[in-house]
Amino acid sequence: MQRPRIKNILADGNAGQQVTVCGWVRTKRESKGIAFIALSDGSTQDTLQLVIPEASPAFQALIHCNTGAAVRACGILKESPAQGQRFEVEVSAIEIFGDADPVSYPLQKKGHTLEFLREISHLRPRTNTFGAVFRVRNILAEAVHEFFQSRGFVWVHTPIITASDCEGAGDLFTVTSFDMGKLPGSNNDVDFSQDFFGKRAYLTVSGQLEAEFLAMSLGDVYTFGPTFRAENSNTSRHLSEFWMIEPEMAFADLKDDTRLAEEFFRFLCRRTLEKGESEISFLEKFYKNTSVAELKDLSEKAFVHITYTDAVKELERSKEKFEFPVKWGLDLQSEHERYLTDKVFKGPVIVTDYPKDFKAFYMRMNDDGKTVAAMDVLVPKVGEIIGGSQREERLEVLKDRMLQSGIPFENMEWYLDLRRFGSAPHAGFGLGFERLVQYITGMHNIRDVIPCPRAPQLIKF
Ligand code: 4AD
Ligand code: MG
């Protein structure tokens, strides 16, 4: 079906031109013998106004053309006398593919709550809000590839099914072909040697470990794929299935890593404004939790850098009443992170050099023997969006760290091989894609920036 997109018509159309457009009816109204339809085809935030005079043969068809109906309309493009739109279409023929019953169509009226829309995740992309969010998501996904490709990074595809727990945190979903009603072994001790892969397998929590071996041959690489975590976190910033971007660079240290993260983040903000300003303006107007001005500022601004040790001092100095204790050696909680970004520094902050005890085994030990070359990028409202580090490239130090962290060597010899053969300093990070989209769009809940959110007790279809 040949059809120009509404986005292109509004940008490059010419008055007098014959057009055929397809889309869904957002609103229909009649006034003094003329019907007006606002048509959306998903290509842009804007709708295209269709004008159908009573005298037109198309007018009769409009009885079966309600909000939500899918239609094709042919007509002449005209300069629009109405405010806020450049063109409208004077319709000569209209074809209705599928009507939507005004009584039962859930989006018949505007102004539903985001909670209600979450219940109808298959229909919510038809609203202005979710159209905007998913278009911004697409702009960001394209920009991710553009950024890394333009710097010579190789996009690598790390496995989704894995036998190792990268983060060592144990929040894994098991992948099995067992008939769950007939598990071999006793109930508490399932015999995974009889399972599909001959050992226990999981959905990956991160592609980092595999990205490391690819960086140790290809130089600079990045992953962009789905990751899964079975942590029981019912919050507005956690999903059980989310996408992560993980660059990994050979011959790089923590400084190179933080620099890459900053440049990456600024680039993403800039591209969003270049390609999605109308989406951001819409979200700014309705939710007031993002803004064109703020993104412009972010696309130019350097991040504040602070060590964990100094961040703890800053928190200890504060008069704020925190729910969780602040003490050197304890992990920062989101209330602490937000205090730093929202109140102290009023912008993105990179915290580096965390105590080794609550960070992953693969992070490079600093000379003080107490901290590791780790970094977290924290942003206002959302908190941590990036976690990364320089990796431990010294075989013996890494083995010690694995022992201390209780990481079994079984299954990990290949990872140690990278330190045995041509080991080199390397560093990388993981950007949570939904946290990024959440921050850029200003959506309060991460469940509203992915088409089908998965979270504890939540899987609709
Ligand atoms: O800090 P994390 O756990 O780091 C890693 O997985 C490293 N292997 C990354 C690396 O160095 N290559 O996760 C990275 C980011 C977090 O900063 C956060 O943005 C996001 O992934 N993230 C989540 N996003 C949504 N829901 C969850 N449950 C998330 N857990 C982590
Ligand atoms: Mg982290």
Side-chain angles (χ1 to χ4, degrees):
M1 214 173 273
Q2 283 276 350
R3 61 176 182 107
R5 302 301 188 265
I6 290 176
K7 180 181 181 149
N8 299 338
I9 292 177
L10 293 176
D12 313 317
N14 292 308
Q17 180 189 350
Q18 182 80 31
V19 291
T20 299
V21 286
C22 297
W24 293 269
V25 173
R26 277 294 169 79
T27 55
K28 181 182 78 172
R29 67 191 167 84
E30 277 179 49
S31 144
K32 299 187 193 117
I34 303 183
F36 299 96
I37 286 176
L39 194 75
S40 164
D41 71 356
S43 63
T44 162
Q45 200 63 29
D46 300 316
T47 52
L48 181 61
Q49 173 153 284
L50 308 180
V51 183
I52 307 117
E54 202 167 6
S56 159
F59 196 85
Q60 302 312 317
L62 295 186
I63 303 169
H64 304 292
C65 180
N66 297 294
T67 294
V71 305
R72 170 163 59 185
C74 304
I76 306 269
L77 201 61
K78 301 213 152 155
E79 305 271 355
S80 178
Q83 263 211 335
Q85 58 192 17
R86 201 172 143 208
F87 292 119
E88 58 187 30
V89 178
E90 196 180 286
V91 173
S92 51
I94 194 160
E95 180 183 352
I96 294 144
F97 295 114
D99 195 9
D101 174 23
V103 178
S104 55
Y105 182 52
L107 299 177
Q108 176 63 29
K109 289 199 181 64
K110 286 188 173 178
H112 291 300
T113 62
L114 294 171
E115 288 76 15
F116 171 79
L117 292 173
R118 235 172 267 149
E119 298 294 315
I120 47 166
S121 48
H122 59 300
L123 295 173
R124 68 179 183 167
R126 298 189 191 188
T127 62
N128 282 327
T129 297
F130 287 91
V133 168
F134 294 141
R135 275 189 298 275
V136 170
R137 191 181 162 109
N138 171 61
I139 290 166
L140 286 166
E142 186 191 15
V144 165
H145 288 297
E146 188 190 344
F147 178 82
F148 287 116
Q149 294 293 330
S150 71
R151 288 168 177 240
F153 281 63
V154 177
W155 181 22
V156 294
H157 300 92
T158 50
I160 288 171
I161 302 177
T162 173
S164 62
D165 172 8
C166 166
E167 291 306 296
D171 302 318
L172 299 123
F173 289 103
T174 295
V175 176
T176 178
S177 64
F178 280 152
D179 177 344
M180 298 314 272
K182 300 180 202 146
L183 290 176
S186 67
N187 276 351
N188 294 326
D189 191 14
V190 177
D191 181 6
F192 285 99
S193 70
Q194 294 182 49
D195 202 354
F196 190 87
F197 297 106
K199 59 164 88 159
R200 191 160 182 178
Y202 309 93
L203 289 177
T204 186
V205 296
S206 157
Q208 178 197 322
L209 302 192
E210 295 87 355
E212 279 188 56
F213 80 68
L214 291 154
M216 283 298 114
S217 47
L218 296 164
D220 296 329
V221 302
Y222 70 106
T223 71
F224 188 175
T227 50
F228 308 85
R229 296 200 183 173
E231 42 185 343
N232 197 8
S233 298
N234 237 318
T235 78
S236 59
R237 354 177 280 138
H238 286 88
L239 290 167
S240 312
E241 175 182 283
F242 62 98
W243 287 61
M244 217 197 305
I245 296 126
E246 296 186 272
E248 192 70 34
M249 298 177 287
F251 310 107
D253 60 15
L254 188 66
K255 272 213 164 55
D256 299 312
D257 209 27
T258 55
R259 192 182 318 118
L260 184 76
E262 276 195 58
E263 288 174 6
F264 183 37
F265 186 80
R266 283 197 287 270
F267 179 84
L268 295 171
C269 292
R270 201 158 67 236
R271 274 291 179 273
T272 304
L273 282 184
E274 282 163 8
K275 297 188 173 175
E277 189 173 332
S278 58
E279 278 77 6
I280 297 298
S281 297
F282 170 83
L283 295 165
E284 174 174 1
K285 192 165 142 212
F286 280 88
Y287 298 100
K288 302 184 173 55
N289 203 27
T290 182
S291 77
V292 170
E294 190 186 340
L295 287 188
K296 184 157 188 319
D297 190 41
L298 283 170
S299 65
E300 290 157 3
K301 195 169 169 175
F303 292 179
V304 170
H305 289 235
I306 187 170
T307 62
Y308 164 87
T309 302
D310 286 343
V312 167
K313 283 185 194 147
E314 191 70 55
L315 291 165
E316 281 173 341
R317 260 204 300 278
S318 104
K319 306 251 176 321
E320 195 89 358
K321 285 253 170 306
F322 295 117
E323 190 187 332
F324 292 92
V326 175
K327 195 173 151 228
W328 199 97
L330 298 180
D331 201 356
L332 301 182
Q333 301 296 322
S334 47
E335 55 169 350
H336 307 137
E337 296 176 346
R338 281 189 211 173
Y339 177 77
L340 293 172
T341 52
D342 297 20
K343 304 246 169 92
V344 185
F345 299 113
K346 301 191 169 50
V349 178
I350 302 194
V351 182
T352 59
D353 304 292
Y354 285 81
K356 66 175 176 18
D357 292 333
F358 57 81
K359 285 293 185 186
F361 69 95
Y362 51 70
M363 298 185 174
R364 191 179 196 279
M365 182 71 79
N366 286 330
D367 291 342
D368 63 12
K370 291 191 294 195
T371 59
V372 286
M375 66 139 170
D376 275 2
V377 176
L378 315 176
V379 293
K381 295 170 279 191
V382 174
E384 179 195 332
I385 61 166
I386 290 179
S389 68
Q390 184 173 342
R391 318 307 187 189
E392 185 55 75
E393 85 283 14
R394 297 161 297 186
L395 180 64
E396 293 310 319
V397 185
L398 180 61
K399 279 179 161 173
D400 273 356
R401 286 280 287 142
M402 287 174 70
L403 278 173
Q404 284 165 19
S405 316
I407 306 287
F409 284 54
E410 192 200 345
N411 284 339
M412 291 294 279
E413 284 302 327
W414 65 273
Y415 191 67
L416 295 172
D417 268 358
L418 302 178
R419 279 75 185 166
R420 290 188 183 111
F421 312 122
S423 188
H426 60 293
F429 62 77
L431 166 69
F433 191 54
E434 284 73 20
R435 294 238 178 122
L436 170 77
V437 181
Q438 189 184 4
Y439 182 53
I440 299 267
T441 58
M443 297 306 283
H444 284 285
N445 197 315
I446 198 165
R447 298 176 188 189
D448 294 334
V449 302
I450 187 164
C452 302
R454 274 80 175 93
Q457 302 298 312
L458 176 72
I459 182 158
K460 293 222 40 121
F461 51 78

